Amino acid sequence: MELLNLPGNIIETVVRMLVNQRKTEEIKIRRLNFVQCLEDVLNLRATCVRLLEIVNNTRLKFPCVVNFSWKDPELNFDLHCFINFMANDTNWRFETVRFRKTLFHVEETNSGLLSIMQKNASLFAKSVARLNFDLPLGSNSIVLNVLNLLDWLRRESLKAGGQISFCIKDPFFSNWEAVLLVDHLSIRGSLRRQFDIFIHLVGSQKFPNLSQLDLPDIIFPVAKLCLFRNLHALSICNLELPENEHIPLHSTQITALLLSYAELESDEVECFSNVLCQCFPRLVYLSFKNTYRTTFSDDDNLCLPETCTTVETYSHMLFYFKKCQSIRYFNLQDYYPALDRKIFVKQLLTTLGTRTALMSVRFCGKELTRTDFMSAVENIVEECHSLDVLSVDCCLLDTQDSLNDQTEIDLSKIVRGEKILPIDGQESEAMLKLKDLCRDKQLKLLIMGKTVLYKSTADVRLMGEINKLEDLYKWNLKRGCVQWLSLEN
């Protein structure tokens, strides 16, 4: 086995890469599972005694997800076993800890959850970069238990610069001590009727460390942005534009703005552009989603701050960004089953293609044909002359009107010439044509499902940009790629 001839430190690096790739692959699944992260590592560990020792002694870092009641033997049996294995046989540690829908009862937290954490303190000792609490319905007893657990975790487990994240389903505004020091606050539930109370708390400087705020159900008043002086990321339903154009707009430190339902009429585009440029002068990342509008005029052109390089949106909303010169990265979802037209036409791509360096496209539809899919990919490669990376993925929608019910399609099978979509052409010929097209273009990486087609000119800098988009914005570009093929053969 050639791997055994390598120095031990090189093998350790390979093992860490395997773990990190599995983490990336599972990003889109909200609950990370250590078994999924370890699939390749466990196989490698079982190969021989030397690899067993190297893998066990390598400082690997994993996510720890505590679901429901920690003491429930059926729900947490695997986690208990894994913790015992880590403590007794390995040098591994936990890097993130997420308490997901955990029941913070008095007797459980004091004698169960906290005591187990303390008993296995070495697995969490100053190695945790992020704490994540998904809190259920609030009460004073739950707040007290969370405070006790959080105090111990901050003192014993959280590394310097580590982040604390709270997701609250039903906010308990009577007692906010548990979240005063959080970096990331996500509120889902009844905030709509208590928004003024929350704004008052923010205005009273109750959240000095708050840098990321998620309010997915709120249409956020632009006038209230001035209260969030330290905020760097804001995720909301939409911005409430000022009715009076003479109202002074305050600039913010926000670099990432996520709008889950950016309902915008033609007569609001100019005002919206002014708000983006004046209130978000440091904006780098814009997520701009809306399934409402289906038609656009030639005047529907957004203006973005010159700092904004990265956009996530639906493909039928590309028309908004025709004149945005600063955008280099697009993450698109091609979805509109009721819209009988093709989005990736050459006229639009020619406009965007002179400046786009990376594009990720997820094709979704009730019916997908190989011909339409390959035609769209060819148009992107042909017209986007500055494109270095193209990542494509596709799924079939189980229902006509919902993005939630999806069936994944393995695009690696298309690369190998297998027939998985409705037959209306020769897949192998289409792939040969696409590879020929790629050879004559600047494109360095074509990622299709779990297969990467690459040129030898693909460099470390390029992979660094991909890793950055995955780490910072949770883009799923590489998807744990398992096959690498040369575009130059």
Side-chain angles (χ1 to χ4, degrees):
M1 187 178 181
E2 296 295 331
L3 183 62
L4 293 174
N5 296 327
L6 296 173
N9 62 319
I10 301 297
I11 299 177
E12 290 180 1
T13 301
V14 171
V15 173
R16 291 192 189 97
M17 290 174 63
L18 290 174
V19 172
N20 291 336
Q21 177 166 296
R22 286 289 171 180
K23 287 182 187 177
T24 302
E25 183 180 1
E26 298 301 324
I27 277 177
K28 65 179 180 180
I29 300 176
R30 293 186 178 180
R31 47 181 294 194
L32 289 169
N33 185 294
F34 58 84
V35 174
Q36 292 166 321
C37 292
L38 275 177
E39 183 177 335
D40 296 331
V41 174
L42 291 176
N43 290 336
L44 187 65
R45 179 177 171 273
T47 304
C48 65
V49 174
R50 181 168 182 246
L51 287 179
L52 173 70
E53 294 176 350
I54 290 177
V55 172
N56 282 357
N57 292 326
T58 301
R59 182 61 66 93
L60 301 179
K61 297 180 180 180
F62 301 98
C64 176
V65 180
V66 182
N67 286 297
F68 304 98
S69 171
W70 177 284
K71 293 196 302 182
D72 191 315
E74 293 184 1
L75 293 174
N76 280 287
F77 175 77
D78 289 339
L79 183 57
H80 280 302
C81 292
F82 186 64
I83 284 179
N84 291 334
F85 164 68
M86 284 180 62
N88 298 326
D89 299 322
T90 75
N91 195 30
W92 303 347
R93 297 292 183 268
F94 287 118
E95 184 177 35
T96 62
V97 182
R98 178 181 181 184
F99 299 95
R100 183 177 181 271
K101 297 182 180 179
T102 308
L103 304 178
F104 290 97
H105 296 311
V106 175
E107 68 277 3
E108 177 181 316
T109 304
N110 290 339
S111 63
L113 180 56
L114 183 56
S115 65
I116 292 176
M117 299 287 288
Q118 292 171 335
K119 179 181 177 181
N120 297 280
S122 62
L123 301 183
F124 305 90
K126 297 302 180 184
S127 65
V128 176
R130 189 173 189 87
L131 291 173
N132 186 310
F133 289 82
D134 284 0
L135 298 183
L137 186 67
S139 69
N140 287 332
S141 61
I142 287 180
V143 171
L144 179 62
N145 292 328
V146 171
L147 280 171
N148 290 336
L149 180 60
L150 179 59
D151 181 64
W152 183 85
L153 289 168
R154 287 180 59 240
R155 187 175 64 252
E156 301 293 337
S157 301
L158 199 64
K159 66 192 304 185
Q163 293 184 316
I164 304 173
S165 171
F166 269 75
C167 179
I168 303 174
K169 299 297 186 297
D170 189 4
F172 34 94
F173 286 97
S174 60
N175 195 332
W176 274 99
E177 286 88 347
V179 294
L180 290 184
L181 299 178
V182 301
D183 305 274
H184 178 189
L185 180 61
S186 178
I187 302 178
R188 291 166 169 80
S190 59
L191 180 63
R192 190 172 300 174
R193 64 178 180 270
Q194 303 189 63
F195 184 66
D196 290 339
I197 301 176
F198 174 72
I199 289 295
H200 174 73
L201 289 169
V202 173
S204 303
Q205 298 183 340
K206 293 292 186 181
F207 303 94
N209 294 348
L210 191 63
S211 62
Q212 184 172 343
L213 178 62
D214 299 341
L215 305 173
D217 298 323
I218 292 298
I219 299 177
F220 198 95
V222 170
K224 300 297 184 181
L225 287 171
C226 60
L227 298 175
F228 296 84
R229 302 183 184 279
N230 299 320
L231 207 61
H232 290 280
L234 176 64
S235 177
I236 54 179
C237 176
N238 198 7
L239 284 171
E240 181 182 308
L241 301 178
E243 295 182 2
N244 188 341
E245 62 181 15
H246 300 295
I247 294 177
L249 299 177
H250 297 270
S251 64
T252 68
Q253 301 290 326
I254 294 174
T255 58
L257 176 64
L258 290 78
L259 306 176
S260 59
Y261 194 80
E263 185 176 349
L264 200 62
E265 301 295 341
S266 292
D267 58 356
E268 297 176 316
V269 172
E270 183 177 356
C271 179
F272 187 79
S273 296
N274 291 337
V275 167
L276 289 180
C277 292
Q278 292 186 49
C279 295
F280 305 92
R282 295 173 176 80
L283 190 67
V284 175
Y285 181 83
L286 175 64
S287 179
F288 191 73
K289 302 289 186 64
N290 182 359
T291 57
Y292 171 70
R293 290 192 66 188
T294 61
T295 59
F296 303 85
S297 71
D298 291 338
D299 296 328
D300 286 338
N301 298 310
L302 281 178
C303 293
L304 300 179
E306 294 182 357
T307 54
C308 188
T309 60
T310 310
V311 167
E312 179 179 1
T313 188
Y314 293 130
S315 58
H316 68 273
M317 299 176 72
L318 275 175
F319 290 87
Y320 277 123
F321 305 99
K322 294 194 298 290
K323 296 185 179 181
C324 296
Q325 298 293 327
S326 62
I327 302 174
R328 299 185 65 245
Y329 308 122
F330 275 108
N331 189 353
L332 306 173
Q333 187 158 44
D334 183 56
Y335 163 72
Y336 220 96
L339 199 60
D340 189 20
R341 62 182 173 86
K342 291 182 172 60
I343 300 300
F344 294 99
V345 294
K346 293 188 177 183
Q347 181 179 1
L348 176 59
L349 290 173
T350 301
T351 305
L352 299 171
T354 57
R355 54 186 179 273
T356 304
L358 182 148
M359 184 178 289
S360 175
V361 187
R362 181 173 177 80
F363 295 92
C364 298
K366 183 65 176 176
E367 295 181 0
L368 290 173
T369 67
R370 259 191 326 281
T371 298
D372 289 342
F373 171 78
M374 295 302 292
S375 176
V377 174
E378 288 174 9
N379 281 344
I380 296 172
V381 174
E382 179 71 39
E383 300 302 324
C384 293
H385 304 293
S386 300
L387 203 62
D388 289 323
V389 180
L390 174 60
S391 177
V392 293
D393 195 15
C394 70
C395 68
L396 293 175
L397 298 180
D398 298 331
T399 60
Q400 183 77 6
D401 301 318
S402 176
L403 278 172
N404 298 322
D405 301 320
Q406 302 179 2
T407 300
E408 298 293 328
I409 296 175
D410 183 5
L411 287 184
S412 300
K413 295 181 179 180
I414 291 182
V415 177
R416 295 193 298 268
E418 297 177 21
K419 299 175 181 178
I420 61 167
L421 295 178
I423 300 172
D424 39 32
Q426 292 294 322
E427 263 176 359
S428 57
E429 293 181 7
M431 278 308 304
L432 288 173
K433 178 182 177 182
L434 181 59
K435 291 176 73 173
D436 287 339
L437 185 61
C438 292
R439 292 189 189 101
D440 298 329
K441 300 297 178 180
Q442 179 173 313
L443 191 73
K444 299 176 182 177
L445 290 176
L446 174 59
I447 306 171
M448 300 184 72
K450 296 183 182 298
T451 297
V452 179
L453 293 96
Y454 66 94
K455 289 181 180 176
S456 59
T457 51
D459 52 24
V460 175
R461 178 198 61 79
L462 199 58
M463 296 305 297
E465 291 294 320
I466 292 175
N467 291 337
K468 181 179 178 181
L469 291 169
E470 290 186 326
D471 294 339
L472 288 181
Y473 307 121
K474 309 307 179 187
W475 286 19
N476 199 25
L477 299 171
K478 298 195 296 293
R479 291 176 290 271
C481 293
V482 296
Q483 186 175 12
W484 292 70
L485 303 174
S486 175
L487 277 168
E488 296 167 336
N489 294 333

